[in-house]
Amino acid sequence: MRKPLIAGNWKMNKTVSESIDFINSIKDIKNDCVEGLVCVPYTSLTEVKKSLEGSDIKLGAQNMHYEDNGAYTGEISPLMLKDIGVEYVIIGHSERREYYNETDQTVNKKVKKAFEIGIKPIVCVGESLEERESKKTEEKIKKQIEEGLKDLKEEDLKDLVIAYEPIWAIGTGKTATSDQANDTIKFIRESLKSIYGDVSEKVRIQYGGSVKPENIKELMSKSDIDGALVGGASLKKDDFEALINY
Ligand code: PEP
């Protein structure tokens, strides 16, 4: 019912020419049962959009501002992303929360703006190692859901993607076990259901954190995992292909 979404988050990697070369190497990857997506740096969006013509792979950005325009030096407006033809945007990645002071409140503003403009948000949530060890995972995630996804329109929920990314598993080589990931994703859906009811069944909830060809099959075999948000392994052609064709 929910089509799995395998999304690459390139982070701050690849120049424009490197991006074009990479897209040319992956654009023919096709799996009718899976949606494939690349979230590339702002500077590469326009050229990647052109290179993806005719491909099944979709285009996403890694962040955006919540205002349409104004005096926000260095920021990128949702209108600019829409104009390029961006379909998805990552919101509230833990690196943005940690290094750029993003909060559940700014996440909420961005998510609402993304829906208003017609870009599908991928909202990242997840706990730190300290929070997991002190059994505060659910408390942390509940707050992120309640505040970050507050006051959404029910009709928008079908286009919402949530990425459960335990911070301790991002870029560390440590993966949550498939059961840990599945259990937390179930908890996320229950939290969402307590706010929005049955329409929450339409929301795709991905796992992210050191996903690679070696562990994707096991993760995707779990009942509630609707895809993956992948950093490191999405930068290599063979790995990205193996992920899409898990
Ligand atoms: C990410 O960028 O969201 C991520 C999960 O990175 P990695 O796959 O490298 O852990």
Side-chain angles (χ1 to χ4, degrees):
M1 189 180 76
R2 295 185 296 263
K3 193 170 188 175
L5 175 64
I6 304 288
N9 173 16
W10 290 7
K11 310 194 187 192
M12 197 174 70
N13 290 292
K14 298 194 191 293
T15 61
V16 175
S17 57
E18 287 166 350
S19 302
I20 296 169
D21 288 347
F22 185 79
I23 294 298
N24 286 336
S25 75
I26 61 150
K27 65 181 286 190
D28 293 331
I29 299 173
K30 198 174 163 55
N31 179 348
D32 290 337
C33 304
V34 170
E35 203 176 342
L37 168 69
V38 284
C39 297
V40 311
Y42 292 134
T43 44
S44 293
L45 285 168
T46 302
E47 288 303 321
V48 166
K49 176 72 186 168
K50 286 186 208 156
S51 302
L52 281 175
E53 212 182 307
S55 170
D56 278 1
I57 309 284
K58 311 267 178 68
L59 177 64
Q62 300 171 17
N63 179 38
M64 63 172 211
H65 202 276
Y66 49 79
E67 295 289 351
D68 288 342
N69 38 52
Y72 300 102
T73 302
E75 287 292 325
I76 297 291
S77 147
L79 297 178
M80 297 169 188
L81 299 183
K82 187 71 184 171
D83 183 51
I84 292 170
V86 165
E87 203 172 319
Y88 286 88
V89 62
I90 299 172
I91 305 275
H93 191 282
S94 60
E95 288 153 14
R96 296 216 53 92
R97 291 181 191 253
E98 184 179 348
Y99 307 135
Y100 305 101
N101 302 321
E102 294 223 359
T103 62
D104 293 328
Q105 286 62 45
T106 56
V107 166
N108 189 242
K109 287 186 189 178
K110 291 180 182 194
V111 172
K112 285 180 179 158
K113 177 54 77 171
F115 283 132
E116 183 191 313
I117 225 111
I119 299 178
K120 297 172 192 158
I122 300 175
V123 181
C124 301
V125 299
E127 82 286 3
S128 65
L129 186 57
E130 199 188 336
E131 285 159 343
R132 177 157 283 268
E133 285 174 346
S134 56
K135 308 220 175 315
K136 293 208 168 107
T137 299
E138 295 193 350
E139 186 186 319
K140 167 78 174 288
I141 287 175
K142 198 165 177 8
K143 182 174 175 290
Q144 288 180 319
I145 298 286
E146 284 175 354
E147 296 181 10
L149 301 177
K150 201 166 108 181
D151 297 333
L152 303 184
K153 294 187 188 137
E154 269 189 29
E155 74 238 35
D156 286 335
L157 261 74
K158 63 177 188 326
D159 292 324
L160 173 65
V161 180
I162 299 175
Y164 166 53
E165 299 208 305
I167 298 166
W168 48 272
I170 299 177
T172 58
K174 287 184 198 156
T175 325
T177 66
S178 54
D179 284 331
Q180 275 175 332
N182 200 50
D183 288 348
T184 311
I185 285 175
K186 274 188 191 162
F187 173 78
I188 291 171
R189 195 174 305 284
E190 285 313 311
S191 304
L192 209 55
K193 260 190 180 169
S194 69
I195 311 171
Y196 293 106
D198 286 345
V199 69
S200 312
E201 288 294 340
K202 297 187 175 157
V203 177
R204 286 180 291 179
I205 310 180
Q206 305 172 295
Y207 168 75
S210 300
V211 176
K212 40 190 182 277
E214 295 75 32
N215 57 24
I216 184 85
K217 216 178 170 61
E218 164 68 15
L219 288 161
M220 293 305 295
S221 71
K222 292 291 162 182
S223 58
D224 287 67
I225 303 181
D226 299 324
L229 182 56
V230 188
S234 74
L235 295 167
K236 295 174 221 131
K237 186 234 168 204
D238 290 346
D239 285 357
F240 189 66
E241 182 158 22
L243 293 168
I244 300 273
N245 289 322
Y246 70 87

